[in-house]
C-alpha cells in the first residue's frame, strides 16, 4: 500500500547551486547526499517533513553524472524542473506486482538500490499520464537509529 509521498525528484544542472537556493530561499538543509553510479546521479535529499509511518518526505535534487543517464537525457530535452514523483510503501515488491497486473509498465524486474539504501522501482511515464513515478521502500532502521539514519 502506498502511504505517503516519499520524495519529489528535481533535475538540476548544478547540485551545489540548487542546494544553496533551497537553503537561502526556504531554510531547508541537506539531510543526506550521495552518488548513485547505477542511476547516473549525484543527489541531495532535503527532508521537508516526517510522516506517521516512520518515514519522511523529501525533495530529491538530482544532478546527472553522465549525459546518457536518465536525468542527463531529460535535462537536455526539458531543462531543469520536476523529473519524477516517488510514493513510499512498506513493500515495493508487492505494490510493483499489483500495479504491473493492472497493465502499467514497471521498469525493473527486481527493485534496485535507491537513496539511503532504499529499494526502488519506476513506472513508465507514458502509462502514468506523463508522470515518471517511483515506488520506494526505505531501508530498515539502523541498529539504534531511525529508518532515515543512513
Ligand atoms: C522520459 N520521458 C518522461 C520522463 N523521461 N516523461 C515524463 N517524465 C520523465 N522524467 C518521456 C520522454 O519525453 C519521451 O516521450 C519518452 O518518455 C521516452 O523518453 P526518452 O527520452 O526516449 O528516454 P528513454 O525511453 O530512454 O527512457 C525513459 C525512461 C527512463 C522513463 C524509461 O528515463 C528511465 O528508465 N527512468 C527511470 C530511472 C530514472 O529516472 N533514474 C533517475 C532518478 P516522447 O513523447 O518524446 O516519446 S534516480 C533516483 O531517483 C534514485 C537515485 C532514488 O530515488 O533513490
Amino acid at each position: 500500500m502506498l502511504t505517503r509521498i516519499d520524495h519529489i525528484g528535481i533535475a538540476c544542472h548544478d547540485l551545489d547551486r540548487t542546494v544553496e537556493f533551497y537553503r537561502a530561499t526556504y531554510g531547508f538543509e541537506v539531510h543526506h547526499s550521495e552518488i548513485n553510479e547505477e542511476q547516473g546521479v549525484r543527489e541531495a535529499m532535503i527532508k521537508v517533513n516526517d510522516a506517521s509511518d516512520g518515514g519522511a518526505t523529501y525533495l530529491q535534487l538530482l544532478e546527472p553524472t553522465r549525459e546518457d543517464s536518465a536525468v542527463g537525457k531529460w535535462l537536455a530535452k526539458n531543462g531543469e524542473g520536476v523529473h519524477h514523483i516517488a510514493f513510499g510503501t512498506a513493500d515495493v515488491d508487492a505494490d510493483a506486482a499489483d500495479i504491473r497486473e493492472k497493465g502499467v509498465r514497471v521498469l525493473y524486474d527486481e527493485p534496485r538500490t535507491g537513496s539511503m539504501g532504499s529499494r526502488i522501482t519506476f513506472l513508465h511515464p507514458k502509462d502514468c499520464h506523463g508522470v515518471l513515478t517511483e515506488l520506494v521502500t526505505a531501508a530498515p532502521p539502523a541498529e539504534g537509529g531511525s529508518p532515515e539514519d543512513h
Side-chain angles (χ1 to χ4, degrees):
M1 187 174 54
L2 309 181
T3 51
R4 63 190 159 85
I5 292 177
D6 184 272
H7 65 264
I8 298 169
I10 298 170
C12 63
H13 290 297
D14 184 326
L15 186 64
D16 298 334
R17 286 186 60 187
T18 309
V19 161
E20 177 53 20
F21 170 82
Y22 279 89
R23 193 199 63 72
T25 308
Y26 308 118
F28 289 143
E29 301 291 345
V30 173
H31 175 79
H32 173 87
S33 59
E34 67 182 75
I35 292 174
N36 185 323
E37 292 291 1
E38 182 180 35
Q39 294 290 341
V41 293
R42 190 163 82 92
E43 62 173 75
M45 297 295 275
I46 290 174
K47 191 194 274 192
V48 179
N49 57 271
D50 290 305
S52 56
D53 64 356
T57 299
Y58 301 90
L59 300 177
Q60 181 184 60
L61 306 180
L62 298 161
E63 177 192 276
T65 57
R66 45 177 201 273
E67 285 177 12
D68 66 349
S69 63
V71 173
K73 284 170 61 177
W74 190 87
L75 260 178
K77 188 173 167 187
N78 302 286
E80 295 186 315
V82 174
H83 178 259
H84 65 270
I85 61 168
F87 295 119
T89 166
D91 190 345
V92 63
D93 300 87
D95 283 312
D98 282 354
I99 291 169
R100 183 178 271 127
E101 288 219 336
K102 293 172 182 165
V104 174
R105 278 171 287 173
V106 176
L107 295 181
Y108 304 149
D109 289 337
E110 292 291 330
R112 297 184 184 174
T113 302
S115 192
M116 298 182 282
S118 58
R119 297 178 71 242
I120 62 171
T121 195
F122 288 89
L123 312 179
H124 200 289
K126 293 293 179 191
D127 296 348
C128 303
H129 296 268
V131 179
L132 176 60
T133 304
E134 181 181 344
L135 310 179
V136 183
T137 295
E143 202 70 11
S146 78
E148 313 299 332
D149 291 340
H150 291 278

